[in-house]
Amino acid sequence: MPVPAVKRTILLSLGLLLLLAIVLSLALGPVSIPFTDAISALLRPITGWPVAADTQLIVEHIRLPRTLMGILIGATLALTGAAMQGLFRNPLADPALIGVSSGAALGAAMVIVLGGVWLAALPAALTPYTQAAGAFAGALLTTWLVYRLGSSAQGVSMASMLLAGVAIAALSAAVVGLLTYIADDAMLRALTFWNLGSLGAASYDRVGMLVLCCGLVWWRLPRQARALNALLLGESEARHLGVEVERVKRELVLLTALGVGAAVAAAGLIGFVGLVVPHLVRLMLGPDHRQLLPACMLLGAALLLLADVAARLLVAPAELPLGILTALLGAPFFIALLMRMQRRGGM
Amino acid sequence: MKVWMQRCLWVLLLGSAWSMAAEPLRVVTAGASVTAIVQELGFVDQVVGIDSTSVPLLEERGLPNVGYQRQLSAEGVLSLEPDVLLGTEEMGPPPVLAQLREAGVDVVVLSASPSLETLYANIAAVGERFGQGAQAADLTQRIQADIAALPASPEPAPPAIFVLTHSANGMLVAGEGTVGDSLIRLGGMSNPAADSFAQYRVLSAESLLSLAPQWILTTTKGLEMVGGVDGLLSQQPALAATPAGLAQQVIDIDDSLLVGGFSPQIAPTLRELRETAADQ
């Protein structure tokens, strides 16, 4: 079935929006760099055009990794959010539901608070990555636990998984609370800022790590679009349509844990994108995951980049935490769309 | 080709001439105590940006605020075109500091441990960075003289606790190794909390009572936030029941003296504390 023209136009305009966001993200920052200079700095590895050294450094080592991280993280959060909403058949579902976020927070907190002694033995080159590694491991472990708690001889029950997710999230929060209690002043501040995600620490190492993890998610997850469409009808209906429901569930959960775990490890907790973007896209495009998933990636990346541009400009030369801005930008937009839909006579 | 080489030569010449001329440094300071050292040494005119904890010190100058010292933004700091970023080990995050170093900013990391020795070492380091070692030695001598002239600590030193209040229902007590602990000791008092724990802790009402402090030290901003001495004591009944609470003996210390190690302006505060302690 060909994609209808309207949907194609919407996808195209989302693509243009992302392109605009990328350009803004490369061109705008507290250091004012003329647009043409930013472009020449970006193209210098290819063209060899002369560019002032500081401009080159800011564009190549500060703005570009930041932009790449924004695209990777924004698209992954929105994509996995859409997958979770489809899988749980619940409009409120987001990756936090399967324990990824709370697990990542717990992992990072354990490294920050308890890591001091045994991490001192690590070579100095590795120490900057320990918090990220802790977050990533925490995300995967808790998700695995939630998945195990939700499965039985009859397969994985989404309802039990949801409850297990809530329980594990509460447990993680309790342990983080305990760690907060024994943490010292510096650790507490590290914890707080870690919880308010930011792209401020972007580097090519992190981009590389994200490309590996998110790349796998981008490649595998959209292939489940048909299965997600079938799941909208219900699990047994999907099974009758020939979908290997158990395998699909396992793969979606695993990919979400991988993608969100990597995103949280690289940039801290950035809320709202995974919840809101799929809804916005569904309002525009309808529930067909074949268009929904790619559109979510485009809009997720664009929204995150725009929020990040605002984060670095609004209080320059200081910076606002990105997580706060995604919510500030996303929520009113979401509410406005909802109200418009309701006036038109329901969703 | 020739023109190109000529231009290069010009750039080199101009560049070296520029670096040889005693161009004033452009400095961003992070941490109130570091900013205070720069201020005391008289280099404020070379400061082009400060962190949020230093804002109260240089308020009238309206300098750009680079945000909280632990959460600096690489491009934000670079937009001020600094030669030097002067701060303590409380500065961060590390990737941003690495990016700043890469961009040619001299990132000077001083110790933030709360002791007078650290303060003197930091003053010397700042003086050296501005190329004014003698001025720094003068300042250190002045502070050392002020400290030497402090009244002696009474025997036995009256017990005191240092509390951080952030909200109505939260209060942290300073244990061993904290700036609050050093302040109490240098102020001629003793810190019973330091015998049982390090860093900051939430204490139960009973442990607070068992510490039996005669004085309660806290920060000025924190005290304002909870509504002054009456507010503090009414919100923390356990505190009100201690000897210090019963006698309303609460002393508030300016917050900016305690961020990133001791401030060079700490001596008058220590004098006040010693005099208070000796009055007992």
Side-chain angles (χ1 to χ4, degrees):
Chain A
M1 191 176 68
V3 180
V6 186
K7 291 189 174 182
R8 222 178 307 156
T9 320
I10 292 175
L11 273 170
L12 193 69
S13 22
L14 285 177
L16 287 175
L17 179 70
L18 175 59
L19 202 64
L20 175 76
I22 292 173
V23 170
L24 288 179
S25 172
L26 289 169
L28 295 179
V31 178
S32 58
I33 293 174
F35 183 66
T36 47
D37 286 11
I39 298 294
S40 353
L42 198 62
L43 296 178
R44 203 190 66 144
I46 311 163
T47 59
W49 288 335
V51 179
D54 51 346
T55 304
Q56 183 67 30
L57 185 114
I58 286 168
V59 174
E60 194 183 323
H61 287 280
I62 294 178
R63 288 190 192 164
L64 186 58
R66 206 172 165 145
T67 306
L68 292 173
M69 252 173 78
I71 296 171
L72 286 160
I73 290 173
T76 304
L77 290 179
L79 179 63
T80 51
M84 286 299 106
Q85 287 171 9
L87 184 61
F88 283 93
R89 291 195 298 283
N90 184 331
L92 280 178
D94 79 345
L97 212 60
I98 55 167
V100 192
S101 316
S102 47
L106 178 60
M110 287 179 86
V111 172
I112 292 173
V113 179
L114 306 175
V117 190
W118 50 273
L119 288 179
L122 278 177
L126 289 179
T127 43
Y129 306 107
T130 50
Q131 283 180 29
F136 191 55
L140 292 184
L141 278 174
T142 37
T143 309
W144 177 78
L145 195 62
V146 168
Y147 186 79
R148 293 297 307 165
L149 286 172
S151 41
S152 63
Q154 285 81 46
V156 178
S157 145
M158 291 332 278
S160 333
M161 240 188 106
L162 203 144
L163 289 174
V166 172
I168 294 290
L171 190 63
S172 314
V175 179
V176 170
L178 187 67
L179 290 170
T180 312
Y181 176 72
I182 60 172
D184 70 21
D185 204 32
M187 293 170 183
L188 277 181
R189 285 159 205 268
L191 282 175
T192 315
F193 279 109
W194 205 85
N195 283 333
L196 295 172
S198 155
L199 297 181
S203 67
Y204 284 110
D205 309 340
R206 289 176 194 227
V207 171
M209 189 269 287
L210 282 171
V211 166
L212 281 181
C213 298
C214 299
L216 194 66
V217 178
W218 290 13
W219 173 50
R220 297 294 308 180
L221 208 152
R223 296 177 171 217
Q224 304 293 352
R226 276 170 197 280
L228 279 167
N229 281 347
L231 275 170
L232 284 182
L233 302 170
E235 273 186 36
S236 47
E237 287 79 355
R239 213 166 275 126
H240 288 304
L241 286 170
V243 176
E244 290 177 69
V245 176
E246 292 310 312
R247 196 182 55 76
V248 170
K249 282 181 195 166
R250 200 165 49 235
E251 182 161 342
L252 288 178
V253 169
L254 185 73
L255 287 172
T256 301
L258 184 71
V260 178
V264 177
L269 293 178
I270 298 172
F272 225 66
V273 177
L275 177 66
V276 166
V277 171
H279 281 289
L280 291 181
V281 175
R282 225 174 272 124
L283 290 176
M284 291 186 279
L285 279 175
D288 186 343
H289 285 85
R290 284 170 303 174
Q291 290 103 45
L292 180 69
L293 296 181
C296 278
M297 292 170 70
L298 293 172
L299 186 63
L303 181 68
L304 201 70
L305 284 182
L306 292 175
D308 184 51
V309 170
R312 57 181 116 136
L313 285 179
L314 284 179
V315 294
E319 201 170 301
L320 276 175
L322 179 60
I324 295 175
L325 271 166
T326 50
L328 277 180
L329 284 176
F333 192 41
F334 186 49
I335 292 168
L337 266 174
L338 267 178
M339 284 169 64
R340 221 183 72 196
M341 291 307 287
Q342 265 174 348
R343 264 202 305 274
R344 275 201 205 152
M347 298 188 51
Chain B
M1 194 65 185
K2 232 176 176 179
V3 178
W4 174 81
M5 283 176 75
Q6 218 175 358
R7 274 191 195 154
C8 270
L9 204 64
W10 267 115
V11 168
L12 277 174
L13 275 174
L14 283 175
S16 52
W18 177 80
S19 60
M20 273 188 294
E23 217 21 59
L25 286 175
R26 293 177 63 86
V27 180
V28 172
T29 58
S33 294
V34 175
T35 308
I37 292 175
V38 172
Q39 195 180 12
E40 287 288 315
L41 290 173
F43 304 137
V44 164
D45 289 335
Q46 300 178 45
V47 175
V48 292
I50 50 178
D51 76 312
S52 56
T53 65
S54 308
V55 170
L57 287 174
L58 297 174
E59 202 140 40
E60 74 284 0
R61 290 193 167 241
L63 287 165
N65 174 355
V66 295
Y68 185 51
Q69 56 167 345
R70 289 182 202 268
Q71 204 63 12
L72 298 172
S73 138
E75 216 190 310
V77 173
L78 285 179
S79 71
L80 304 172
E81 298 173 7
D83 304 305
V84 185
L85 171 62
L86 209 54
T88 65
E89 55 215 4
E90 289 175 356
M91 269 192 305
V96 167
L97 298 184
Q99 282 173 337
L100 289 173
R101 285 198 185 95
E102 207 175 332
V105 178
D106 181 12
V107 180
V108 178
V109 182
L110 303 172
S111 166
S113 75
S115 73
L116 292 173
E117 289 68 39
T118 307
L119 171 62
Y120 302 145
N122 288 352
I123 292 174
V126 173
E128 200 173 315
R129 191 60 195 80
F130 281 92
Q132 303 287 344
Q135 245 161 292
D138 280 354
L139 176 61
T140 302
Q141 267 170 13
R142 264 206 326 273
I143 299 173
Q144 277 169 336
D146 286 348
I147 299 288
L150 291 180
S153 306
E155 272 306 324
I161 56 171
F162 182 89
V163 299
L164 280 179
T165 52
H166 298 294
S167 61
N169 42 18
M171 186 182 74
L172 293 167
V173 180
E176 201 202 330
T178 57
V179 67
D181 180 51
S182 305
L183 190 73
I184 291 173
R185 286 165 201 269
L186 286 168
M189 303 177 180
S190 67
N191 182 12
D195 299 335
S196 43
F197 60 90
Q199 303 295 340
Y200 289 89
R201 274 289 158 81
V202 179
L203 288 193
S204 69
E206 283 169 38
S207 353
L208 256 178
L209 283 174
S210 73
L211 296 176
Q214 286 184 27
W215 294 95
I216 298 166
L217 274 55
T218 186
T219 62
T220 309
K221 248 191 236 163
L223 195 60
E224 264 169 33
M225 259 196 278
V226 294
V229 176
D230 293 337
L232 178 68
L233 296 180
S234 67
Q235 282 161 21
Q236 303 286 345
L239 217 51
T242 60
L246 292 172
Q248 301 244 326
Q249 312 211 79
V250 178
I251 305 172
D252 59 303
I253 313 284
D254 185 355
D255 305 61
S256 65
L257 295 174
L258 309 173
V259 184
F262 279 138
S263 157
Q265 296 150 351
I266 195 78
T269 303
L270 294 181
R271 168 171 289 275
E272 244 170 76
L273 287 176
R274 291 262 180 116
E275 281 165 3
T276 312
D279 269 354
Q280 282 295 296

